[in-house]
Amino acid sequence: MGLLVKGKPLSWEETKELADYIREHGIVQFINLMKKMQDRSYEVLKWGDEIEYLLLKFDHDKKKVYVHCKTQEYLEKLANHSCKFDMPVTFHEEYGSFQIESSPNKPFLDDFEELNHVIRDMRHRRKELLLQMDTSSETVLTLTNFPRLGCPDFCWPPAQPSPDGNVSQSLFFPDECINPHPRFPNLTRNIRQRRGKKVEINVPIYKDSNTPDPFIEFPDIPAAKPDHVYMDATGFGMGCCCIQVTFQVGYSTLLQLA
């Protein structure tokens, strides 16, 4: 996740009026920075990782698991408590209100000894997050995506999709599952308005002997292709989690190898 600050985001109509200016000056700014930094060199390579977690809620009586839309509450707790370990870490918001991102508090260096700290640091981050939870009914999961994302009754607190709303207009993904920070609902809305329609995601199904041929899940939705799983919200992509590694190379020519 990049730098996240509070502010008033622009609507798509407002953004269109400034698009040419942003494109032109974005390129000019990039060129100026390249000229300024191209001869600069560092003796030490620095690098770090970012891990994105899914927040989960268990209902043991009903034997159900939900994504837990509780990111803001956990981040507040993490901001107001002292780290229990000797390797301070940082936590950040993500697109989903059921996601949290973590990273080391300072970068690793270009020393083989540093590799001994990576897994230890990752474990400490997970423990820090779990300390804020009621682990009898809550946990974190490092998986690409929640298997039931978009199915009925997949989130907690319960929320329903808003096909006639003003954000995603999804048939499957409630707007409550989007991080309430102004950037994320506005980004979702602007993508839809720029396209003039919702996103269209069609993933080919795996057919076995029990699969109808053709497999048609939504016959009344033209965007839904036969023999595909259909999704209609930005959250199905941005709601995915991963591990990322970022490098600050010593000098600009190494960028070609990064």
Side-chain angles (χ1 to χ4, degrees):
M1 176 55 59
L3 178 64
L4 197 63
V5 296
K6 297 289 185 182
K8 181 182 180 299
L10 300 178
S11 68
W12 173 237
E13 291 300 320
E14 293 170 322
T15 302
K16 283 196 296 185
E17 296 178 3
L18 301 172
D20 290 339
Y21 178 92
I22 294 170
R23 291 189 190 100
E24 177 185 351
H25 287 266
I27 294 171
V28 170
Q29 188 178 80
F30 175 77
I31 292 172
N32 288 338
L33 283 172
M34 281 296 297
K35 289 179 178 178
K36 179 180 178 180
M37 306 294 288
Q38 62 184 355
D39 296 324
R40 186 173 177 178
S41 63
Y42 301 86
E43 294 182 0
V44 179
L45 174 132
K46 297 179 181 180
W47 62 282
D49 70 272
E50 301 171 0
I51 296 179
E52 296 161 352
Y53 305 93
L54 293 168
L55 308 178
L56 300 185
K57 170 76 171 178
F58 295 98
D59 185 331
H60 296 292
D61 293 333
K62 294 182 179 179
K63 298 188 182 300
K64 285 190 173 183
V65 184
Y66 311 89
V67 294
H68 204 186
C69 300
K70 207 174 179 180
T71 296
Q72 299 297 323
E73 181 177 331
Y74 289 140
L75 288 174
E76 289 175 8
K77 289 181 178 180
L78 288 162
N80 294 321
H81 94 295
S82 300
C83 180
K84 298 294 190 297
F85 306 103
D86 60 351
M87 300 178 71
V89 299
T90 58
F91 293 90
H92 314 277
E93 299 179 76
E94 260 299 336
Y95 178 88
S97 61
F98 51 88
Q99 296 172 287
I100 284 184
E101 178 184 275
S102 75
S103 59
N105 196 43
K106 61 180 182 179
F108 300 115
L109 305 178
D110 61 344
D111 188 320
F112 277 113
E113 180 66 25
E114 293 285 280
L115 297 177
N116 294 325
H117 303 308
V118 176
I119 293 180
R120 179 168 169 247
D121 185 271
M122 290 179 176
R123 287 173 176 163
H124 284 182
R125 279 181 262 163
R126 190 182 188 94
K127 288 178 181 177
E128 278 289 304
L129 185 50
L130 287 171
L131 283 173
Q132 314 310 315
M133 296 182 166
D134 176 2
T135 52
S136 67
S137 62
E138 301 171 342
T139 193
V140 295
L141 180 67
T142 42
L143 188 69
T144 305
N145 212 332
F146 183 64
R148 295 194 67 251
L149 197 74
C151 296
D153 195 28
F154 76 91
C155 64
W156 190 270
Q160 298 300 318
S162 304
D164 299 320
N166 68 349
V167 182
S168 70
Q169 297 187 351
S170 173
L171 297 170
F172 317 108
F173 195 92
D175 290 341
E176 288 82 355
C177 291
I178 302 173
N179 187 319
H181 185 284
R183 171 190 287 186
F184 301 108
N186 195 68
L187 172 65
T188 304
R189 184 186 303 109
N190 282 1
I191 290 173
R192 176 175 53 78
Q193 292 178 344
R194 177 179 59 82
R195 290 171 48 87
K197 57 183 179 180
K198 295 187 292 184
V199 296
E200 298 173 3
I201 306 170
N202 284 280
V203 179
I205 64 168
Y206 174 80
K207 286 191 174 184
D208 63 19
S209 58
N210 296 314
T211 306
D213 188 11
F215 172 82
I216 300 177
E217 190 173 15
F218 302 105
D220 298 328
I221 300 178
K225 298 180 180 179
D227 297 328
H228 286 70
V229 175
Y230 169 68
M231 293 166 279
D232 67 347
T234 309
F236 287 109
M238 293 188 183
C240 293
C241 295
C242 69
I243 180 171
Q244 306 167 58
V245 180
T246 304
F247 290 87
Q248 177 181 291
V249 297
Y251 43 93
S252 60
T253 53
L254 283 178
L255 290 172
Q256 302 172 40
L257 305 176

